[in-house]
């Protein structure tokens, strides 16, 4: 698959124009939509992810690659809808009530998007109700909670409890992150995972939706 | 001559300032607090929704009314911190999420008992002039965890306190605790006891809570330090100059809120910027670029004649290791040479999120060394030299000469027992202790020497009543046991 390899290579270089061109070619050649997606775009992003983790490339390179990926993805979107191919996963993300720290949450959102997930960002100071309501109406696969303050982290527990009450706990996975948190805390409150950074969050969400 | 370090030429300073002024006048500042917006608009700022366009007039007026210095006084009313000129003072890093447990060496959440040990230890930190509310104890209701820290600090250590609130409501009780110590609003204004950290949100924004804190502090003449945090390459331009422009803009925007509320209220031109480490997704305080931004924005503050503050002289290491030492000393040395007036850092590890009592004791020595450093090299009865050398040749040494005895203590800085100055044999005989072990025994020694705070029982009881009332409102029927 010469063409798909080229898509992947150009995506790695962050060349938005070439990725769009090559994706159009692939569509014209009537390649399978799923294959263009998996072996071209997602494959390229996987290489980028690995290089980033190894510090061969920096975050700006990842973001440029992600932008290039979306140039291709936008062309595939109509076909995906037509053929009933779901997006790889949907994540509702936000910083919990009372907390205004959103830099880390934003970064995680950017990286999840970069990995091909649909991300609904609720911003900061988000109430438990808003998290759960949105997750339900959007049929999200994962809810991502951020807190940076000792004083706001207990709010996460309220979100988990509300998820139980509304019957989505266990179905919609809940991941948490931020400086005061830990795996133990995630365990204690019944969240599904704690992720210490964006790379980890991408790995974790991929695990939940069954992509390796 | 006081040794100094400088990074900005006069031309570059001017340019940075004029660019920053343009930012807040043309691009404006987003403010999430209606009364602060009205305040600025009453003074001629144009407002569109939450965006406030400052004017040159507002900026000039605020700069004009800002005091060029102020002092902090301990709870007994004695002068403790002089924030003027190139005077250098240290205060511990603040609001850590975790403490490095002395016994296990692991990071964990702090309790009130940890906090009391910390604040008692602060009394013995000779080179750290004020205390800060250094950790957030988790065994009280989260809604009083800010005011409760201040309560403990005032109950167990007399030094002034660098602190801050987490909510708008907490200001009230934190102010009342101070009024209990000083007796009246006027007495508190005359002798400030605390400094409140108030953070704009980069880029170019003020939240409801923190802008309200600025206003509330100004009303009581409680000093504020603005803590702008441009993160270079992420939430700020990647260049150091670009980050300093952003810092200047955000800090000027806060200065106006204070000065329009109460002209002449004391403030510190502070901050906690950091470069952004794109590889690890972190905000390193021990990065050389971070330290350079700190020193440089301090030059901007000095240019305006406003006393300065910075989070510098701390480390991102996870334990008391060589990285902790090197980052802390590099930062403290640069900060002292730059003449940053209040240096927030000692004791802190892990991106401002983990506090260590042992590190505090080691850092106290670093602070002592830098205090000596900035006193520089001055002749002290050195000239003419001939008599000293005649004496040396005659006696064979100068150990007991008048000149030695007169100057030995101020000329040579002798660190405490945490710094190893023994020869190898003696060091081995004393147990071949590491710096961590020496610091640990120093912590224990200083804690056994801790004396009760000399405030009257009436004042202490009033503070306890205030905080207990708050705790009761939140459903806590009693406060944690402290020893
Ligand atoms: C930048 C910063 C701010 C900025 C925030 C700007 C913004 N738009 O977010 C400003 C200046 C506004 C700010 C304000 C305050 N801050 Co602040 N702040 C920080 C600082 C220095 C860095 C945080 C940061 O952005 N890091 C960079 C990002 C990339 O990292 P991150 O947030 O950790 O996120 C990563 C991971 O944690 C994880 N992650 C994060 N979220 C999520 C979510 C999910 C779903 C997943 C999977 C992963 C994940 O992935 C991210 C990417 O790697 C921290 C120090 C620290 N050690 O964290 C203090 C810190 C968190 N702040 C602190 C304090 C006290 C405050 C204030 C209360 C100060 C005051 N009195 O005004 C206010 C709080 C206002 C409020 N109600 O929220 C304290 C907290 C103390 C405590 N014990 O709770 C800290 C620890 C500093 C300190 N020691 O004083 N702050």
């Amino acid at each position: 698959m010469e063409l798909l390899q080229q898509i992947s290579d150009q995506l790695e270089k962050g060349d938005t124009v070439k990725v769009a061109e090559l994706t159009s070619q692939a569509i014209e050649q009537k390649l399978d939509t799923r294959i263009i997606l998996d072996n071209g775009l997602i494959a390229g992003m996987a290489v980028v992810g690995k290089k980033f983790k190894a510090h061969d490339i920096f975050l700006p390179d990842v973001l440029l690659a992600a932008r290039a990926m979306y140039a291709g993805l936008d062309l595939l979107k109509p076909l995906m809808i037509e053929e009933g191919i779901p997006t790889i996963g949907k994540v509702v993300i936000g910083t919990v009530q009372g907390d205004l720290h959103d830099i880390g949450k934003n970064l995680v959102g950017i990286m999840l998007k970069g990995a091909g997930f649909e991300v609904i960002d609720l911003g900061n100071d988000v109430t438990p109700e808003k998290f759960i309501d949105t997750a339900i109406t959007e049929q999200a696969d994962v809810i991502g909670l951020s807190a940076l303050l000792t004083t706001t982290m207990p709010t996460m527990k309220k979100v988990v409890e509300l998820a139980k009450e509304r019957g989505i706990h266990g179905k919609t996975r809940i991941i948490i992150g931020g400086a005061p948190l830990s795996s133990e805390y995630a365990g204690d409150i019944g969240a599904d995972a704690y992720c210490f950074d964006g790379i980890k969050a991408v790995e974790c969400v991929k695990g939940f939706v069954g992509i390796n | 001559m006081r040794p100094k370090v400088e990074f900005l030429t006069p031309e570059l300073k001017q340019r940075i300032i004029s660019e920053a002024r343009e930012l807040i006048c043309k691009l404006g500042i987003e403010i999430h607090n209606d009364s602060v917006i009205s305040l600025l608009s009453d003074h001629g700022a144009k407002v569109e929704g939450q965006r406030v366009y400052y004017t040159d007039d507002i900026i000039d007026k605020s700069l004009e009314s800002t005091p060029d210095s102020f002092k902090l006084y301990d709870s007994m009313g004695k002068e403790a911190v002089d924030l003027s000129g190139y005077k250098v003072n240290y205060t511990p890093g603040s609001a850590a999420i975790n403490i490095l447990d002395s016994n296990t060496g692991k990071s964990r959440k702090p309790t009130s008992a940890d906090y009391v040990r910390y604040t008692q230890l602060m009394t013995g930190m000779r080179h750290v002039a004020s205390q800060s509310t250094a950790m957030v104890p988790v065994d009280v209701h989260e809604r009083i965890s800010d005011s409760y820290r201040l309560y403990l600090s005032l109950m167990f250590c007399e030094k002034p306190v660098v602190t801050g609130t987490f909510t708008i409501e907490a200001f009230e009780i934190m102010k009342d605790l101070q009024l209990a110590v000083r007796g009246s609003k006027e007495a508190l204004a005359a002798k400030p006891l605390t400094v409140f950290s108030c953070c704009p949100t980069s880029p170019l924004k003020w939240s409801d809570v923190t802008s309200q804190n600025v206003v509330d502090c100004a009303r009581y003449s409680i000093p504020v330090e603005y803590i702008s945090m441009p993160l270079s390459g992420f939430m700020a331009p990647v260049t150091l100059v670009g980050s300093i422009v952003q810092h200047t803009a955000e800090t000027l925007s806060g200065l106006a809120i204070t000065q329009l509320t109460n002209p002449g209220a004391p403030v510190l031109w502070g901050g906690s910027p950091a470069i952004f480490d794109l590889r690890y997704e972190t905000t390193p305080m021990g990065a050389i670029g971070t330290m350079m931004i700190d020193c440089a924005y301090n030059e901007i503050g000095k240019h305006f004649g406003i006393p300065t503050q910075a989070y510098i002289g701390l480390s991102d290491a996870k334990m008391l290791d060589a990285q902790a030492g090197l980052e802390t000393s590099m930062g403290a040395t640069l900060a002292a040479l730059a003449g940053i007036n209040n240096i927030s850092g000692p004791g802190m590890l892990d991106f401002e999120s983990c506090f260590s009592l042992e590190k505090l004791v080691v850092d106290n020595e670093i602070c002592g060394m830098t205090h000596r450093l900035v006193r520089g090299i001055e002749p002290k009865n050195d000239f003419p030299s001939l008599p000293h050398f005649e004496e040396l040749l005659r006696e064979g040494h100068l150990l007991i000469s008048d000149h030695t005895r007169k100057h030995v203590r101020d000329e040579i800085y002798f660190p405490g027992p945490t710094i190893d100055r023994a020869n190898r044999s003696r060091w081995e005989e004393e147990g071949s202790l590491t710096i961590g072990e020496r610091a640990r025994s120093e912590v224990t020694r200083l804690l056994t020497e801790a004396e009760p705070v000399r405030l009257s029982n009436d004042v202490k009881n009033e503070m306890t009543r205030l905080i207990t009332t708050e705790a009761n409102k939140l459903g806590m029927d009693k406060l944690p046991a402290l020893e």
Side-chain angles (χ1 to χ4, degrees):
Chain A
M1 281 288 146
E2 181 84 357
L3 185 57
L4 295 180
Q5 185 59 46
Q6 277 177 22
I7 294 182
S8 166
D9 291 348
Q10 292 307 327
L11 185 148
E12 234 186 287
K13 290 191 194 136
D15 194 326
T16 313
V17 178
K18 290 234 174 74
V19 170
E21 260 171 39
L22 293 164
T23 308
S24 305
Q25 278 179 35
I27 295 170
E28 276 160 30
Q29 290 179 17
K30 301 253 181 304
L31 290 181
D32 193 61
T33 310
R34 180 104 237 182
I35 291 192
I36 307 176
L37 187 67
D38 289 349
N39 300 0
L41 299 176
I42 305 234
M45 278 317 286
V47 179
V48 170
K50 274 199 197 106
K51 288 197 173 169
F52 177 55
K53 202 173 170 188
H55 296 171
D56 288 340
I57 57 173
F58 284 3
L59 190 59
D61 307 305
V62 181
L63 301 183
L64 286 174
R67 196 165 74 182
M69 178 194 71
Y70 275 94
L73 198 62
D74 286 345
L75 297 170
L76 286 181
K77 263 271 164 66
L79 298 174
M80 288 167 67
I81 294 170
E82 212 172 280
E83 296 169 29
I85 302 173
T87 53
I88 65 173
K90 215 186 246 189
V91 184
V92 170
I93 195 170
T95 302
V96 298
Q97 195 166 22
D99 204 321
L100 305 174
H101 294 87
D102 60 4
I103 295 173
K105 179 266 299 169
N106 291 349
L107 189 57
V108 171
I110 292 170
M111 292 177 69
L112 284 168
K113 253 192 207 159
F117 292 99
E118 194 175 329
V119 175
I120 299 161
D121 188 342
L122 300 178
N124 58 28
D125 200 6
V126 180
T127 60
E129 291 72 25
K130 181 100 184 263
F131 274 115
I132 300 302
D133 289 346
T134 314
I136 291 172
T137 44
E138 294 287 343
Q139 299 186 314
D141 300 282
V142 176
I143 301 175
L145 307 176
S146 183
L148 268 285
L149 294 170
T150 312
T151 51
T152 54
M153 96 192 175
T155 312
M156 293 187 160
K157 190 165 178 209
K158 293 190 189 145
V159 181
V160 176
E161 273 158 13
L162 194 63
K164 284 184 185 154
E165 233 175 270
R166 304 278 295 272
I168 60 167
H169 189 247
K171 275 187 274 174
T172 306
R173 305 301 189 101
I174 300 182
I175 61 173
I176 64 173
L181 303 162
S182 61
S183 296
E184 295 82 72
Y185 191 74
D188 288 350
I189 63 168
D192 294 279
Y194 156 74
C195 306
F196 53 73
D197 66 13
I199 299 183
K200 196 81 192 165
V202 169
E203 280 172 8
C204 177
V205 174
K206 279 187 173 171
F208 285 149
V209 301
I211 313 170
N212 44 30
Chain B
M1 179 191 83
R2 186 206 196 274
K4 279 183 196 156
V5 56
E6 276 180 24
F7 292 91
L8 307 178
T9 61
E11 299 74 41
L12 184 52
K13 262 185 264 187
Q14 288 295 355
R15 186 64 195 262
I16 287 171
I17 292 164
S18 67
E19 297 287 326
R21 291 175 78 118
E22 185 176 16
L23 286 185
I24 64 176
C25 294
K26 294 223 173 107
L27 212 54
I29 294 279
E30 187 182 317
I31 298 180
H32 292 254
N33 180 306
D34 291 340
S35 62
V36 174
I37 294 180
S38 316
L39 172 77
L40 288 157
S41 123
D42 289 348
H43 285 85
K46 197 176 84 193
V47 176
E48 277 168 16
Q50 290 181 314
R51 191 154 288 281
V52 178
Y53 301 90
Y54 284 58
T55 63
D56 280 317
D57 178 54
I58 289 179
I59 301 171
D60 292 337
K61 252 198 317 217
S62 329
L63 283 168
E64 212 166 287
S65 64
T66 305
D68 62 2
S69 67
F70 65 95
K71 288 175 177 161
L72 296 175
Y73 299 79
D74 68 18
S75 59
M76 305 307 294
K78 198 169 134 242
E79 182 186 320
V81 179
D82 182 354
L83 299 153
S84 70
Y86 274 77
K87 297 260 165 56
V88 160
N89 307 273
Y90 287 93
T91 192
S94 67
I97 294 167
N98 298 310
I99 182 170
L100 196 66
D101 187 295
S102 306
N103 297 319
T104 65
K106 297 237 161 67
S107 151
R108 60 166 172 80
K109 296 276 184 291
T111 62
S112 302
D114 291 321
Y115 195 94
V116 172
R117 278 163 56 80
Y118 149 74
T119 183
Q120 286 181 325
L121 183 62
M122 270 312 298
T123 307
M125 297 296 98
R126 281 202 299 143
H127 308 294
V128 185
S130 59
Q131 50 173 331
S132 74
T133 40
M135 299 172 254
V136 182
V138 290
D139 51 359
V140 290
H141 194 287
E142 64 260 18
R143 294 250 293 282
I144 55 163
S145 58
D146 44 9
S147 48
Y148 188 64
R149 301 180 300 170
L150 179 60
Y151 164 73
L152 293 180
S153 271
L154 293 171
M155 288 292 280
F156 292 96
C157 176
E158 294 174 4
K159 291 186 179 181
V161 198
V162 174
T163 186
T165 84
F166 298 158
T167 60
I168 291 179
E169 298 73 34
F171 175 81
E172 198 60 20
I173 164 117
M174 292 179 78
K175 174 257 304 170
D176 288 342
L177 288 168
Q178 300 183 62
L179 293 181
V181 172
R182 289 284 189 252
S184 70
K185 190 179 166 183
E186 293 68 34
L188 179 61
K191 289 194 167 181
L193 175 62
T194 61
V195 176
F196 275 49
S197 303
C198 298
C199 308
T201 311
S202 288
L204 307 174
K205 215 189 292 178
W206 277 95
S207 68
D208 181 30
V209 178
T210 57
S211 60
Q212 188 60 47
N213 288 163
V214 172
V215 170
D216 293 340
C217 286
R219 286 194 183 126
Y220 283 86
S221 293
I222 293 172
V224 157
E225 55 185 31
Y226 310 105
I227 308 292
S228 154
M229 301 184 191
L231 303 180
S232 314
F234 184 15
M235 300 300 288
V238 71
T239 51
L240 305 189
V241 167
S243 301
I244 300 163
V245 170
Q246 181 170 328
H247 175 277
T248 308
E250 289 174 355
T251 309
L252 280 174
S253 74
L255 193 72
I257 303 176
T258 301
Q259 296 305 319
L260 297 182
T261 304
N262 179 8
V267 301
L268 289 173
W269 187 266
S272 182
I275 59 121
F276 188 70
D277 194 314
L278 295 162
R279 303 162 309 161
Y280 288 94
E281 310 171 24
T282 52
T283 53
M285 304 311 295
I288 193 70
T290 298
M291 300 177 196
M292 291 164 78
I293 302 174
D294 287 324
C295 293
Y297 81 62
N298 150 77
E299 288 174 43
I300 304 280
K302 288 202 170 351
H303 171 90
F304 290 135
I306 301 173
T308 59
Q309 177 278 350
Y311 276 89
I312 181 172
L314 28 66
S315 170
D316 304 316
K318 309 302 175 284
M319 52 196 254
L320 187 49
D321 59 8
Q323 183 179 338
L326 80 90
E327 290 177 340
T328 305
S329 0
M330 267 179 124
T333 305
L334 282 169
L337 288 173
I340 297 175
N341 301 115
N342 215 25
I343 304 172
S344 304
M348 198 58 99
L349 292 164
D350 191 3
F351 311 95
E352 292 178 41
S353 70
C354 185
F355 200 85
S356 157
L357 300 187
E358 289 71 28
K359 180 171 188 286
L360 178 63
V361 166
V362 174
D363 293 356
N364 179 51
E365 296 301 345
I366 299 175
C367 302
M369 292 180 204
T370 65
H371 278 312
R372 173 63 192 89
L373 174 74
V374 297
R375 281 196 284 119
I377 299 179
E378 301 282 347
K380 284 169 189 156
N381 308 108
D382 281 290
F383 309 135
S385 301
L386 204 60
H388 298 306
F389 288 87
E390 281 170 352
E391 185 181 355
L392 176 55
L393 294 183
R394 190 175 62 239
E395 301 292 330
H397 62 81
L398 289 173
L399 287 167
I400 54 169
S401 89
D402 289 345
H403 188 241
T404 304
R405 280 182 295 138
K406 180 148 189 244
H407 293 297
V408 65
R409 289 194 183 272
D410 61 328
E411 193 65 1
I412 299 180
Y413 173 69
F414 293 101
T418 33
I419 301 299
D420 174 23
R421 290 279 173 84
N423 65 36
R424 175 170 287 276
S425 301
R426 177 164 169 185
W427 175 73
E428 283 170 357
E429 188 178 290
E430 289 177 353
S432 310
L433 300 178
T434 63
I435 191 162
E437 290 161 336
R438 291 192 300 272
R440 228 177 96 171
S441 49
E442 195 53 7
V443 169
T444 313
R445 183 184 74 78
L446 287 165
L447 284 175
T448 52
E449 283 180 2
E451 302 259 353
V453 160
R454 292 167 295 168
L455 287 171
S456 74
N457 281 338
D458 284 352
V459 171
K460 289 184 186 169
N461 291 341
E462 172 59 8
M463 291 200 291
T464 305
R465 187 192 66 75
L466 284 165
I467 200 78
T468 312
T469 313
E470 281 306 298
N472 291 349
K473 277 191 225 157
L474 296 165
M476 287 182 77
D477 46 4
K478 65 176 195 305
L479 293 167
L482 295 179
E483 242 86 20

